[in-house]
Amino acid sequence: MPAIVNRLQSPRGLAIFLLPILMAASCYYTLAQLSSHPPIQNRNVALLIAHPDDEAMFFSPTIQSLVDPSLKNTVQIICFSIGDAEGIGKIRQDELLASANLLGVPDVNNSVIVHDHPHLPDSMGKTWPEDLLASLISDSLREFKEYNGGSKVDTFITFDEGGVSAHPNHISLLRGAKYFLRHYPKEHDILLYTLNTVPIYRKYLSIFDAFITTLLEKKQGGDEEEVYSGTGAPKSAMYLSNWQGYRTAQKAMTEGHKSQMVWFRWGWITLSRYMVFNNLVLDTDRS
């Protein structure tokens, strides 16, 4: 006993003793906060992504949650390029289908649409035209409506103005979605959720950023009305994967997107918060 007391009196010993307690407390707090968030359910969802692998690198927790049969969602993916910057677009297109299948998206041959338009190049230096994106969204939704037996998409999920990595193609999707909602009046009731971009020092905190996110939300008044008026849909949604979900997200990259597994992406799939945690915000600004 004296030896234990002596160890606790040293800064290192005290840190070793307190660390498991603090980790357990943060996990308990995070799970308690997440449990109070209603999920997106009973919706026909279209995920708008820019490149094959976006769905796995950024939206895995969301996709795996939405396809849970108990939530009664349909999930479709619209990808606006084949990712042909390195001349392997056809390979990447096939990899997207493999990844979506691993993530649980049903019937990927009908529920995933990949566009290959010359004015939408895979480029860090190119902003995509909003009107063209809106036109392709409209075409895609018609296809999904036929596939869904007449049920139309009522929910979009895409990147926010930060685009996670400030990629102009990612950011263009939000603007294209808003252009579509403004200029296609029959579709004005579609809900738009965006994936929250966090500062770079939080991107690589993995699961620990879930605790930071819930803490910040509580501080900013997260106990307001959670449901968007007249829709029954949540104003925000948080999805935290368990170990199996995290490993599935990794497999979507390592087994699905084999061509993209260059050295730095191993760091991403190991440390990125987006591989294990997503928080979405309902965007009601149509400007």
Side-chain angles (χ1 to χ4, degrees), residues 45-71:
V45 179
L47 173 66
L48 314 181
I49 60 173
H51 320 100
D53 75 13
D54 287 350
E55 83 296 336
M57 290 180 62
F58 307 114
F59 293 97
S60 288
T62 295
I63 294 173
Q64 292 184 77
S65 296
L66 292 178
V67 298
D68 184 333
S70 68
L71 297 181

Side-chain angles (χ1 to χ4, degrees), residues 105-131:
V105 177
D107 192 11
V108 293
N109 290 318
N110 289 304
S111 56
V112 178
I113 293 175
V114 185
H115 294 288
D116 181 18
H117 195 284
H119 292 155
L120 302 179
D122 175 8
S123 170
M124 278 294 294
K126 178 69 174 179
T127 297
W128 290 343
E130 298 173 5
D131 56 342

Side-chain angles (χ1 to χ4, degrees), residues 61-123:
T62 295
I63 294 173
Q64 292 184 77
S65 296
L66 292 178
V67 298
D68 184 333
S70 68
L71 297 181
K72 299 180 181 179
N73 297 305
T74 64
V75 179
Q76 290 99 188
I77 298 174
I78 309 173
C79 184
F80 290 87
S81 80
I82 59 174
D84 202 34
E86 298 177 352
I88 56 171
K90 183 59 175 68
I91 292 173
R92 296 194 65 188
Q93 183 173 350
D94 292 340
E95 288 179 341
L96 170 56
L97 299 182
S99 168
N101 185 61
L102 284 167
L103 292 172
V105 177
D107 192 11
V108 293
N109 290 318
N110 289 304
S111 56
V112 178
I113 293 175
V114 185
H115 294 288
D116 181 18
H117 195 284
H119 292 155
L120 302 179
D122 175 8
S123 170

Side-chain angles (χ1 to χ4, degrees), residues 152-203:
K152 72 169 193 173
V153 166
D154 55 27
T155 305
F156 288 156
I157 297 175
T158 193
F159 297 96
D160 68 3
E161 279 286 1
V164 175
S165 58
H167 198 305
N169 297 168
H170 294 177
I171 296 168
S172 295
L173 295 186
L174 174 61
R175 298 170 184 172
K178 288 189 172 186
Y179 186 99
F180 174 80
L181 295 175
R182 288 196 309 270
H183 292 86
Y184 290 70
K186 291 183 179 180
E187 312 294 347
H188 72 280
D189 57 342
I190 294 177
L191 299 182
L192 172 62
Y193 287 92
T194 60
L195 179 66
N196 188 38
T197 297
V198 298
I200 191 168
Y201 59 84
R202 286 176 52 193
K203 271 186 194 178

Side-chain angles (χ1 to χ4, degrees), residues 128-162:
W128 290 343
E130 298 173 5
D131 56 342
L132 175 57
L133 289 169
S135 176
L136 293 175
I137 289 172
S138 180
D139 293 343
S140 300
L141 295 196
R142 279 196 295 271
E143 288 190 43
F144 287 147
K145 188 174 181 180
E146 292 178 11
Y147 167 63
N148 290 328
S151 297
K152 72 169 193 173
V153 166
D154 55 27
T155 305
F156 288 156
I157 297 175
T158 193
F159 297 96
D160 68 3
E161 279 286 1

